[in-house]
Amino acid sequence: NGFVFDDAIFMERDVRIQAPVQWRLLLTKPLWLTESDKSAAAANQHYRPLQLAPLAVSSQWFGGSALPCHLLNLTLHFLNSLLVYGILRRVFLGPNAALLMAALFAVHPALSESVLWVSDVAGLGATFCMLALTYVHARKHGSFVGATLVAVLYLGAMGFKETGILAPLMLLAFDATARRGTNENARAIPWVDYGFLLPALSVYLTLRYNALGTVVPANLGSGMTVPELAINGLALLPKYASTYLRSFDLSLYHDFTPATGFDDPRVQTGAMLLAATALVFLGTVRERPMTAFGILWAAIAAAPYLLVR
């Protein structure tokens, strides 16, 4: 397959991709803008210097071919599947069960857009970094080398996609649940890893502010109040969850009619789904920490995508 949508636009119009002397601008400019107009940059909100790197490399050394970019996406997805297996084995899931779950992750149709669309190397890269830092955090037990690697991977996750900033919550989810299911020597929480995350976060926020003129997005709600955003997050939750249970008729675009109150059936269904998930978590956190870990991981990962824009 060739380049589509954003891929083609970047390849045709972005001077940072077309000229190696401009690659430094990947670190100092927003994803979509190359001007220095801070007000325009603030309206964009995307700062992902690593997302465009594969396109720049392809443009310079592979004649602008999409093939190397697709191979990179497939490679990242394969590595992510291996990391899923490694993490599941680390928390003492049996080898057969871990292999089955990793295989399901590898072929799940809901992940097809991430793998097949070149520009979503952002999502694949962020996922790789977040899975890898969780795996290192689980194995190194707070060593200096492990903490340094975790920090580097954290910076990489944020460089690929903004949602990478949630990695500390992923580590807390692991330490609060799955770590208790490992052996006695592994139960000590490696707090040094969290300390090493702070410099990485500072570097990212500094670069982001320099590129966008802001840190926190100003237009996420599209005019909605915080309560309206929460209501519509609940309304979106059933559709989001059903995509993973019934991955048919997938589409790049989805129409969404905003909910106006709790009388909307979608909001009521979302609230019941959230309450049921919370009850399952509370019922498993002590006796089945692996299940509780999975619930927390899924909730943290889904949260940004329930923000209706």
Side-chain angles (χ1 to χ4, degrees):
N1 294 322
F3 293 118
V4 296
F5 304 119
D6 300 353
D7 316 333
I9 296 175
F10 286 130
M11 292 296 288
E12 293 172 3
R13 305 178 187 177
D14 200 315
V15 296
R16 297 171 296 180
I17 290 175
Q18 299 165 356
V21 295
Q22 303 288 345
W23 286 1
R24 59 181 178 82
L25 296 179
L26 294 175
L27 284 174
T28 60
K29 298 294 182 180
L31 176 65
W32 281 102
L33 301 177
T34 56
E35 308 92 48
S36 58
D37 183 354
K38 295 297 184 181
S39 62
N44 185 288
Q45 299 305 331
H46 290 122
Y47 175 68
R48 303 174 182 177
L50 296 181
Q51 177 177 330
L52 298 184
L55 294 177
V57 171
S58 176
S59 177
Q60 177 64 23
W61 287 303
F62 297 98
S65 171
L67 178 59
C69 299
H70 283 303
L71 288 176
L72 174 61
N73 279 20
L74 287 169
T75 300
L76 283 173
H77 185 55
F78 175 70
L79 293 175
N80 288 342
S81 301
L82 292 181
L83 284 168
V84 168
Y85 174 80
I87 291 173
L88 293 178
R89 285 291 291 125
R90 184 61 189 171
V91 293
F92 285 5
L93 197 63
N96 292 335
L99 183 61
L100 176 63
M101 299 309 295
L104 177 60
F105 174 86
V107 301
H108 201 295
L111 302 180
S112 57
E113 181 182 316
S114 299
V115 181
L116 301 178
W117 185 24
V118 166
S119 282
D120 212 22
V121 69
L124 290 170
T127 299
F128 170 78
C129 291
M130 295 177 81
L131 289 171
L133 67 86
T134 302
Y135 183 75
V136 173
H137 180 76
R139 288 185 59 87
K140 292 298 183 180
H141 313 315
S143 68
F144 176 82
V145 173
T148 301
L149 185 54
V150 165
V152 171
L153 288 167
Y154 183 38
L155 187 59
M158 294 183 289
F160 273 111
K161 196 170 186 178
E162 292 80 1
T163 48
I165 202 170
L166 296 175
L169 296 182
M170 300 298 200
L171 298 187
L172 284 172
F174 177 84
D175 287 333
T177 55
R179 187 175 291 280
R180 295 191 301 104
T182 61
N183 59 58
E184 292 292 337
N185 294 330
R187 290 187 180 182
I189 297 177
W191 293 109
V192 65
D193 286 3
Y194 294 96
F196 275 54
L197 293 179
L198 293 177
L201 180 61
S202 299
V203 169
Y204 168 75
L205 293 179
T206 300
L207 291 172
R208 179 179 173 85
Y209 183 84
N210 179 66
L212 301 180
T214 183
V215 172
V216 180
N219 66 337
L220 286 182
S222 297
M224 291 184 180
T225 64
V226 173
E228 289 172 337
L229 286 173
I231 288 174
N232 280 278
L234 288 175
L236 190 59
L237 182 58
K239 180 64 176 177
Y240 186 97
S242 67
T243 299
Y244 284 88
L245 299 176
R246 186 182 180 277
S247 297
F248 302 103
D249 301 319
L250 298 179
S251 173
L252 179 66
Y253 298 105
H254 299 271
D255 291 328
F256 181 79
T257 302
T260 57
F262 282 99
D263 56 340
D264 191 307
R266 297 172 300 171
V267 178
Q268 297 170 0
T269 303
M272 289 188 291
L273 180 59
L274 183 62
T277 303
L279 288 175
V280 174
F281 172 78
L282 292 175
T284 58
V285 67
R286 288 185 177 276
E287 300 300 326
R288 295 183 178 273
M290 177 62 198
T291 301
F293 170 57
I295 292 173
L296 273 184
W297 183 286
I300 295 169
Y305 301 98
L306 298 178
L307 184 61
V308 178
R309 303 209 296 168

